[in-house]
Amino acid sequence: MTGPVLSIRDLSVEIPTRAGVVKPVDGVSYDIGRGEILGVVGESGAGKSMAGNAVIGLLNPPAHISAGEIWLEGARIDPLQGEAMRRLRGKEIGMVFQDPLTSLNPLLKIGDQLTETILTHLPVSREEAERRAIAALDEVGIPGAAQRIDSYPHEFSGGMRQRVVIALALCAEPSLIIADEPTTALDVSVQAQIIALLRRLCRDRGTAVMLITHDMGVIAEAADRVAVMYAGRLAELGPVREVLTRPQHPYTDGLMASTPLASQARNRLHQIPGSMPRLTDLPDGCAFHPRCPLVQAQCRQNPHPNIGKGRAACWFPLIERAAE
Amino acid sequence: MTAYVTVKGLSRVFDVSKPWLNRVLERRGKAFLTAVSEVDLDIEERTTYALVGESGSGKSTIGRMLVGLLRPTGGEVEVEGVNLDRETDRAKVAKVRGDIQMIFQDPYASLNPRWRVRDIIVEPVAVKSGDTEGLAERLLEQVGLHAADAGKFPHEFSGGQRQRICIARALASEPRLIVCDEPTSALDVSVQAQVLNLMSDLKEEFGLTYLLITHDLTVVRHMADRIGVLYLGRLVEEADPTTLFETPKHPYTQMLLNAAPRIDGFGREVDPPQGEIPDPINPPPGCAFHPRCPIARDICRQERPRIRPLGATRVACHLAE
Amino acid sequence: MAELRVETVERAVEKGNWQRFRESDFFYSFKRSPVAIVSFAVVCILVLSAVFAPLIAPTNPFDPASLNLMNGFTPPMEPNAFTGESFFMGTDDQGRDVFSTILYGMRISLFVGAAAVLFAMTLGIVLGLVSGYFGGWTETIIMRIADVQLTFPSILVAMLIFGIAKGFTPVEYRDQMAIWVLILAIGLSDWVQFARVVRGATLVEKRKEYVAAARLIGRSPWAIMVKHILPNALSPVLVIATISLALAIIAEATLSFLGVGAPPTQPSLGTLIRIGQGFLFSGEWWILFFPACTLLALALSVNLLGDWLRDALNPRLR
């Protein structure tokens, strides 16, 4: 198969609340190809995790998918319910969350958790499953994997636990891994280890990865392409180097300029005025216009822009301005 | 210039033993965690001193000892020439304590949800029965909020705005030193820039001294005049930002700088550092970093290195030169 | 620094407490819960009619002058065979109007229940705050006492306390003191829950940084406990207080039914039920039935209100 592993088309998520219906995800489309890491970046409330949860069918009611389609390996998965979704979740989509403890059962040995997962999803014997469990732990870099399968989650350090979670996500050989802030809770030195691990696995196995994070540095180092989200919508989507060095959306531009650099001291940080609007009262027109330094009358009047021929969902992408 | 804060041989040990009955039944001894171990540092007036380190490095513990939330187990803290634990003149101690304030990491937990913003901000002054008339409104304007926000409750504000309220509260008692414990690590990038800029402006305007505690090297580079790197409760290296970032002397600092993700590090193949931070209850003998250190020798395993001057740097490593 | 100004969404005016309450999720949830509205209405009606009993009640059942023995055992809504008088809920053996005795009895029941809960709450809050905030030996001692007390049924504890207290009261004051002893007994048997909940909340709150901020500006432990921690621990206390009120009313009724509670000179609902059950098998069912129904309605509606409060104040449990 040559198509993308995951394809999201015009996905919208709605939550009915007292104050009316809010849309934490609004008309989002992106693809992830084989062996590709797509970084989904945005500030809190941008809807980046909500989009990931929608893919794996883990939206907390009353949140629900209100429009759009999700395709995995050429099959539509958004209408799946209950058992079918659960099967898909372990088999085709692996998950890595911020806190490794939420993904591991504290009462079971990690070897048993891995073997169970493999047996549930793959047609192999118990011996084979155990062999694969050890191989998976070995692959994620847990020293002495054959001995450690008898350990409980609390016997591992934070970084090692996250490796176990990655092994657990990988062991059923899924085609897609959704990693939601996988390194946020970890120390800098361990963070680098996990990023290197994700990249290696992705390259070696051809697994597609959706890497959700707020950390531009992690995106820059790990992702192939990046989707920048703002107020539930895509702001910019494109190859990571181009988006980060030559942003076309004023928001991406502001975000990059306000990130302090380790390589040089800046006298004063650039700042985007204001903060992200609450979903309950989004401004008319482009959601970014109240904070945009380059706002024009059209940005307030026209509906929210979509990504057109450029990379950015902006009426006046920076590339055109430069050309003028 | 004289040091505003002088810390000498500062240590803090926590008793992390299980309850007495468990110890007897399981035949275990008491367990002690050394969070901070013999740290020496000076903070000049009107500068920003940054303490960086990973989790368990003891950076927050040092901050809490400085503001008096924790008592040191050993060593001394002198502020404005007053030894805060030994000084017997209570008025003197109270005067110095009043000059120190703190900003916390979690803007959601550091404001009492049942209090109006006005009461939160003026509390430090109201306790000393000072004049609070219009104070909250004035401070709110100063940190970039509106005077009308004084009557609201914390939940009506976003994370960045709450952190501004925390800063306003810290400013209320007109402090000279503010200990900032991870002030922006719970904030989004664009909001972090706003808060950092605000902190820089206020420092100029009020002649403040900051002790900035963080794990984020990029923030440190941007804000600090002097940086101390902590590992397992020990100060391993101290220098000005340019020296530290361009010629790091300690292998741990080198590793940390190399491992931190960079926004211009596209597809960078880092050689990820080995191992993890050891258990602080049983720290390795000698240099605490030796099990992960690429250049460790025998002496590193046996003898704890003292911090020594080396050019513009102070470093605690036997082999650095 | 004008560029630093942050947009705040609702600028307008400072909201008063009443307006904040009307816009709160709490009030919204109340409006949407029929159970809450009905039980709140029932509680209100019962409490108001108890408070204004002297105005509502047709007779004062404790004024011997207004009693006519000839009116004894009048069935409800029927004229008395001798005097021709008719009573809404009938009369008891001494000719007292059952409806009036219920109104007056509810006063005693509610007063004892509310005062006992108030007493238990105050004691529990203080001990809970102290043990949660200071920890160490203080905490160990307080919480071990609580544990021991929890191993006895609270009605037994109340009876024990009642018995001891009665022993120390001079005979001539016994009837007068009975109500207060009852309050003490029920209150003392009920403080544990409050202490536990407040201690738990204190342990959570005292780790939060706003408490550190208050400590560092030199606030005393008492000021921190009362002004900072307590307001944040009050929600669960309110829930427990409501549910405890229902339990305290029942406990009072049980004690009075067993004859160790409110004296016949100041009968509570429990006393009325005890008196009434003697006539059940001789056919005068109303003397028992109406007080029992009132007790049931009171306890049930307070309890339902408490259940709803727990759901409304603890969104995580839903």
Side-chain angles (χ1 to χ4, degrees):
Chain A
M1 229 174 349
T2 50
V5 174
L6 178 77
S7 181
I8 295 178
R9 288 283 157 265
D10 291 324
L11 180 73
S12 292
V13 173
E14 284 185 355
I15 306 175
T17 69
R18 246 177 89 186
V21 174
V22 298
K23 278 191 170 182
V25 179
D26 190 358
V28 168
S29 305
Y30 48 74
D31 296 339
I32 308 179
R34 201 161 299 284
E36 184 183 46
I37 300 184
L38 175 77
V40 181
V41 71
E43 301 182 281
S44 47
K48 52 190 194 300
S49 294
M50 196 70 90
N53 287 347
V55 171
I56 45 186
L58 281 183
L59 290 175
N60 288 327
H64 61 276
I65 297 175
S66 58
E69 299 172 2
I70 303 170
W71 296 75
L72 183 74
E73 300 272 27
R76 193 167 165 190
I77 60 167
D78 53 287
L80 292 184
Q81 297 282 331
E83 185 54 33
M85 192 71 220
R86 220 167 302 144
R87 191 171 289 274
L88 184 85
R89 221 180 279 152
K91 173 70 192 83
E92 294 297 330
I93 308 176
M95 291 166 292
V96 181
F97 293 113
Q98 177 174 345
D99 179 5
L101 281 181
T102 57
S103 313
L104 296 170
N105 184 335
L107 300 177
L108 287 182
K109 293 174 183 169
I110 58 154
D112 293 343
Q113 302 192 36
L114 283 162
T115 333
E116 277 314 308
T117 312
I118 296 170
L119 285 174
T120 317
H121 297 296
L122 298 176
V124 294
S125 66
R126 180 160 278 279
E127 290 71 35
E128 173 66 10
E130 272 168 25
R131 204 187 54 71
R132 286 197 189 196
I134 296 174
L137 288 178
D138 208 34
E139 197 177 355
V140 297
I142 289 184
Q147 289 82 50
R148 299 301 309 255
I149 57 164
D150 284 330
S151 307
Y152 290 91
H154 70 89
E155 296 174 69
F156 290 86
S157 66
M160 285 295 156
R161 250 181 239 147
Q162 197 60 298
R163 286 170 192 262
V164 173
V165 173
I166 293 175
L168 198 62
L170 278 175
C171 65
E173 296 171 359
S175 47
L176 172 71
I177 289 185
I178 295 181
D180 194 347
E181 304 271 10
T183 61
T184 307
L186 304 176
D187 282 314
V188 179
S189 56
V190 184
Q191 191 177 350
Q193 297 168 2
I194 299 293
I195 294 174
L197 173 65
L198 270 177
R199 278 178 54 177
R200 180 166 60 77
L201 294 171
C202 180
R203 197 172 51 217
D204 295 353
R205 296 179 159 223
T207 316
V209 177
M210 184 195 289
L211 175 64
I212 301 167
T213 177
H214 68 282
D215 189 331
M216 279 292 184
V218 171
I219 292 282
E221 295 202 352
D224 300 304
R225 289 192 307 135
V226 59
V228 182
M229 291 189 70
Y230 185 79
R233 294 147 176 176
L234 273 190
E236 188 160 358
L237 177 67
V240 68
R241 184 184 291 268
E242 280 161 38
V243 171
L244 265 53
T245 52
R246 286 193 304 281
Q248 291 186 355
H249 197 290
Y251 173 64
T252 322
D253 191 42
L255 211 53
M256 292 308 296
S258 56
T259 308
L261 286 173
S263 50
Q264 63 186 80
R266 289 170 170 170
N267 277 339
R268 200 177 162 77
L269 291 167
H270 172 83
Q271 55 185 47
I272 310 176
S275 51
M276 184 153 357
R278 294 184 192 196
L279 291 169
T280 45
D281 60 349
L282 284 179
D284 292 332
C286 172
F288 186 60
H289 88 250
R291 302 175 73 189
C292 185
L294 303 164
V295 62
Q296 315 244 345
Q298 212 176 330
C299 304
R300 302 193 185 93
Q301 290 148 10
N302 289 4
H304 188 79
N306 291 315
I307 295 185
K309 49 186 191 301
R311 295 192 304 259
C314 177
W315 293 114
F316 305 100
L318 293 171
I319 194 92
E320 284 178 18
R321 290 194 184 106
E324 272 166 18
Chain B
M1 214 155 48
T2 54
Y4 183 72
V5 178
T6 307
V7 169
K8 280 199 206 101
L10 188 66
S11 298
R12 172 73 206 200
V13 177
F14 290 103
D15 185 346
V16 291
S17 316
K18 290 187 170 179
W20 171 79
L21 194 62
N22 294 48
R23 287 207 309 275
V24 173
L25 293 176
E26 295 165 22
R27 292 168 195 280
R28 287 202 195 161
K30 285 198 152 199
F32 295 100
L33 184 153
T34 307
V36 177
S37 173
E38 295 172 35
V39 167
D40 298 332
L41 55 89
D42 288 344
I43 305 176
E44 304 287 340
E45 184 149 24
R46 293 169 187 249
T47 62
T48 300
Y49 189 103
L51 279 176
V52 269
E54 302 179 274
S55 57
S57 63
K59 52 190 191 300
S60 292
T61 311
I62 294 180
R64 282 173 182 256
M65 285 193 279
L66 209 66
V67 298
L69 287 174
L70 283 174
R71 288 184 72 86
T73 335
E76 11 199 282
V77 179
E78 263 181 34
V79 183
E80 296 170 25
V82 176
N83 186 321
L84 291 179
D85 294 296
R86 300 251 183 84
E87 180 61 55
T88 44
D89 184 353
R90 285 195 164 203
K92 243 182 183 173
V93 174
K95 157 83 185 58
V96 174
R97 287 252 178 264
D99 284 343
I100 309 175
Q101 267 294 344
M102 189 162 179
I103 301 170
F104 299 90
Q105 172 176 4
D106 183 352
Y108 291 87
S110 50
L111 301 175
N112 190 337
R114 304 276 170 177
W115 284 35
R116 285 188 195 267
V117 169
R118 177 183 300 114
D119 304 324
I120 292 176
I121 293 179
V122 303
E123 192 188 9
V125 179
V127 167
K128 298 187 186 117
S129 15
D131 179 22
T132 61
E133 182 68 33
L135 178 65
E137 286 76 7
R138 205 164 62 239
L139 286 165
L140 281 172
E141 298 267 355
Q142 221 142 26
V143 297
L145 294 168
H146 289 259
D149 292 334
K152 296 185 186 168
F153 284 84
H155 70 87
E156 296 175 63
F157 297 88
S158 68
Q161 292 168 335
R162 283 164 188 244
Q163 206 59 304
R164 287 169 191 266
I165 297 172
C166 293
I167 295 175
R169 170 176 61 191
L171 290 176
S173 55
E174 296 173 5
R176 295 171 68 187
L177 170 70
I178 301 185
V179 175
C180 312
D181 191 356
E182 304 265 13
T184 59
S185 52
L187 304 179
D188 285 317
V189 181
S190 70
V191 180
Q192 164 174 295
Q194 296 170 0
V195 171
L196 291 180
N197 284 344
L198 173 67
M199 285 172 58
S200 302
D201 291 343
L202 294 171
K203 183 185 159 203
E204 291 307 311
E205 199 177 334
F206 296 102
L208 297 171
T209 306
Y210 286 134
L211 174 65
L212 177 66
I213 295 164
T214 180
H215 69 280
D216 189 333
L217 290 163
T218 57
V219 168
V220 165
R221 170 100 212 227
H222 178 74
M223 296 288 288
D225 298 304
R226 190 108 185 131
I227 301 172
V229 181
L230 290 166
Y231 185 74
L232 221 62
R234 305 159 190 210
L235 189 65
V236 295
E237 184 165 1
E238 189 200 76
D240 62 275
T242 315
T243 313
L244 190 88
F245 277 79
E246 278 161 24
T247 53
K249 296 285 198 299
H250 197 283
Y252 174 66
T253 317
Q254 293 164 359
M255 185 204 87
L256 207 58
L257 290 176
N258 187 45
R262 299 175 191 162
I263 57 168
D264 49 359
F266 303 110
R268 190 167 66 109
E269 293 283 340
V270 280
D271 199 14
Q274 298 305 305
E276 292 184 30
I277 299 164
D279 181 5
I281 296 174
N282 298 303
C287 171
F289 188 59
H290 85 254
R292 302 170 75 188
C293 182
I295 58 167
R297 305 226 190 105
D298 280 346
I299 185 170
C300 306
R301 290 175 198 104
Q302 288 147 11
E303 197 179 312
R304 177 170 167 187
R306 298 281 130 203
I307 194 152
R308 61 189 165 98
L310 187 67
T313 309
R314 289 201 305 148
V315 62
C317 175
H318 292 300
L319 306 172
E321 52 196 31
Chain C
M1 257 195 296
E3 49 165 324
L4 287 179
R5 183 143 303 167
V6 176
E7 301 301 319
T8 323
V9 190
E10 302 138 36
R11 178 112 298 127
V13 282
E14 192 167 317
K15 288 178 184 168
N17 287 328
W18 172 239
Q19 192 190 354
R20 283 196 336 116
F21 173 75
R22 282 217 331 242
E23 288 171 9
S24 65
D25 291 338
F26 180 75
F27 187 61
Y28 179 77
S29 139
F30 179 76
K31 279 191 297 185
R32 308 231 317 173
S33 165
V35 174
I37 295 174
V38 171
S39 46
F40 183 69
V42 173
V43 172
C44 280
I45 292 169
L46 290 176
V47 169
L48 287 177
S49 49
V51 170
F52 296 107
L55 303 177
I56 302 170
T59 60
N60 181 353
F62 305 114
D63 178 10
S66 73
L67 294 184
N68 184 349
L69 270 179
M70 301 295 280
N71 277 335
F73 297 122
T74 317
M77 314 293 278
E78 282 175 32
N80 183 279
F82 306 103
T83 62
E85 284 183 68
S86 165
F87 299 89
F88 174 47
M89 287 182 185
T91 60
D92 65 4
D93 55 338
Q94 297 174 55
R96 286 191 295 210
D97 175 27
V98 171
F99 179 58
S100 304
T101 56
I102 286 176
L103 289 180
Y104 279 84
M106 213 156 56
R107 284 186 118 187
I108 307 277
S109 287
L110 273 170
F111 175 73
V112 171
V117 168
L118 215 60
F119 175 56
M121 193 165 84
T122 316
L123 191 65
I125 284 176
V126 171
L127 292 178
L129 277 175
V130 166
S131 60
Y133 191 80
F134 291 113
W137 283 109
T138 329
E139 179 183 23
T140 311
I141 292 168
I142 294 174
M143 293 330 282
R144 284 307 85 80
I145 293 174
D147 286 345
V148 170
Q149 187 172 328
L150 270 192
T151 57
F152 297 103
S154 56
I155 199 82
L156 271 187
V157 177
M159 280 179 79
L160 183 73
I161 297 168
F162 190 85
I164 293 171
K166 218 172 169 182
F168 284 106
T169 323
V171 184
E172 60 268 34
Y173 294 117
R174 261 190 203 161
D175 272 9
Q176 254 175 302
M177 296 296 290
I179 297 290
W180 299 103
V181 171
L182 204 52
I183 290 169
L184 183 80
I186 297 173
L188 275 181
S189 71
D190 208 28
W191 65 274
V192 176
Q193 297 189 60
F194 290 98
R196 286 193 154 193
V197 162
V198 172
R199 171 178 163 269
T202 308
L203 287 177
V204 173
E205 296 296 325
K206 83 165 178 184
R207 290 170 159 271
K208 291 197 179 161
E209 291 163 341
Y210 72 85
V211 173
R215 276 177 59 200
L216 113 100
I217 59 170
R219 279 260 159 152
S220 70
W222 277 111
I224 291 175
M225 278 190 264
V226 174
K227 293 194 170 161
H228 282 281
I229 295 179
L230 185 57
N232 288 292
L234 273 185
S235 299
V237 168
L238 190 62
V239 173
I240 296 192
T242 316
I243 293 171
S244 290
L245 178 61
L247 292 176
I249 291 170
I250 292 174
E252 181 278 325
T254 313
L255 289 174
S256 300
F257 181 79
L258 294 172
V260 292
T265 49
Q266 286 170 295
S268 70
L269 289 177
T271 323
L272 294 181
I273 292 170
R274 177 165 60 99
I275 297 168
Q277 60 121 20
F279 305 108
L280 187 57
F281 295 105
S282 52
E284 289 85 18
W285 53 271
W286 58 90
I287 306 177
L288 171 69
F289 181 77
F290 290 111
C293 280
T294 315
L295 179 68
L296 186 72
L298 187 62
L300 190 66
S301 55
V302 172
N303 216 342
L304 286 174
L305 204 60
D307 275 353
W308 167 79
L309 260 183
R310 188 182 52 205
D311 294 346
L313 296 176
N314 262 334
R316 265 163 296 151
L317 290 181
R318 257 184 287 184

